[in-house]
Amino acid sequence: MGCRDVHAATVLAFLSGTASVAGLLAAVLLPNWRQMRLYTFNKNERNVTVYTGLWIKCARFDGSRDCVIYDPQWYTAVDQLDLRVLQFALPLSMVTAASALFLCLIGMCNTAFVSTVPNVKLAKCLVNSAGCHLVAGLLFLLACAICLTPSIWVIFYNNYLNRKYEPVFSFDISVFIAIASAGGLFFTSVLLFLWYCACKSLPSPFWQPLYSHAPSMHSYASQPYSARSRLSAMEIDIPVVTHAS
């Protein structure tokens, strides 16, 4: 695997990162982080489930899809510490992952459309695609940590609420979406790290273009030469005479 081509690893990493960011966006917007199940012993009334998200809260009767109580200002009055942390952590994770996607796209475009022998004067200013993918992998790993830690904390905090009050709390589908998205970010970072390790054997430095010498030096090295030129000035061809028996 060489760094000068766009390989399946980088394309798969870009698609995986895009899907992970989309999953994070869905987890942020869905009001399904925590459920609070309220039971009634009156046969003439129905049980109520309160769906709590990061930004809104919705209360529904069993068997109904309409919100009896809809609170769009819930994000200003969140009284649960784990959800308050997630309000800052998930958008930060999305911004970090989006920056990594941008770097990954720059590296892919650089390898696909930029000449392998650029101008010598611009050699020190060019972007190395291997460096772009390495930094993108680090950003994806950081976004995974920012997302995964508070998402797992929701599970433990849910158990804490059940012990402190009543066992009426349960985590909802957004927790699984966020954890799956964090796993996608980790998978993306691993793919980019593998791609970089395959490129590490190249003679180019870390953040420089994919060659270690000026193009003029490459042009001299690539010119054909005869085997005769490898003989030193002191070497003399001695003819060999064979006699027929």
Side-chain angles (χ1 to χ4, degrees):
M1 183 184 295
C3 293
R4 300 183 189 277
D5 305 316
V6 178
H7 297 279
T10 56
V11 175
L12 181 59
F14 183 80
L15 295 178
S16 175
T18 304
S20 301
V21 173
L24 284 180
L25 181 61
V28 168
L29 297 180
L30 286 176
N32 298 99
W33 279 93
R34 175 169 290 122
Q35 293 184 13
M36 184 172 60
R37 182 82 169 168
L38 303 178
Y39 298 93
T40 179
F41 297 99
N42 190 344
K43 295 182 179 180
N44 297 325
E45 296 180 358
R46 290 181 294 177
N47 297 329
V48 177
T49 303
V50 180
Y51 297 89
T52 304
L54 302 183
W55 317 106
I56 60 175
K57 178 186 284 188
C58 174
R60 298 174 183 172
F61 287 118
D62 286 357
S64 176
R65 295 185 178 181
D66 298 328
C67 295
V68 180
I69 300 176
Y70 181 81
D71 186 8
Q73 301 297 324
W74 165 248
Y75 66 94
T76 61
V78 174
D79 57 353
Q80 300 170 13
L81 183 59
D82 57 342
L83 298 184
R84 178 65 76 181
V85 173
L86 282 167
Q87 285 182 337
F88 295 95
L90 289 190
L92 179 60
S93 178
M94 290 176 57
V95 171
T96 305
S99 303
L101 280 177
F102 181 70
L103 272 178
C104 185
L105 185 62
I106 289 178
M108 292 170 62
C109 292
N110 181 68
T111 55
F113 302 110
V114 178
S115 175
T116 56
V117 184
N119 190 355
V120 183
K121 297 180 180 179
L122 301 177
K124 296 182 179 180
C125 302
L126 291 179
V127 177
N128 186 10
S129 58
C132 283
H133 289 314
L134 177 63
V135 176
L138 293 174
L139 289 178
F140 276 124
L141 192 61
L142 178 62
C144 171
I146 295 174
C147 169
L148 185 62
T149 304
S151 299
I152 294 179
W153 185 34
V154 172
I155 301 175
F156 294 98
Y157 196 84
N158 189 79
N159 297 330
Y160 165 76
L161 292 177
N162 286 328
R163 292 193 304 267
K164 184 177 181 179
Y165 299 103
E166 294 182 8
V168 295
F169 297 95
S170 61
F171 49 89
D172 209 346
I173 190 173
S174 293
V175 178
F176 301 104
I177 295 177
I179 293 176
S181 299
L185 294 175
F186 180 77
F187 175 72
T188 303
S189 66
V190 169
L191 281 178
L192 293 177
F193 288 153
L194 290 177
W195 189 88
Y196 177 77
C197 290
C199 300
K200 193 176 181 181
S201 59
L202 290 178
S204 60
F206 169 72
W207 193 254
Q208 295 299 317
L210 300 175
Y211 52 86
S212 57
H213 305 288
S216 58
M217 297 179 65
H218 284 279
S219 62
Y220 284 116
S222 61
Q223 290 180 355
Y225 57 93
S226 61
R228 181 73 177 178
S229 61
R230 284 180 287 184
L231 298 176
S232 63
M234 300 298 297
E235 291 178 330
I236 302 174
D237 292 333
I238 301 176
V240 177
V241 180
T242 59
H243 299 278
S245 56

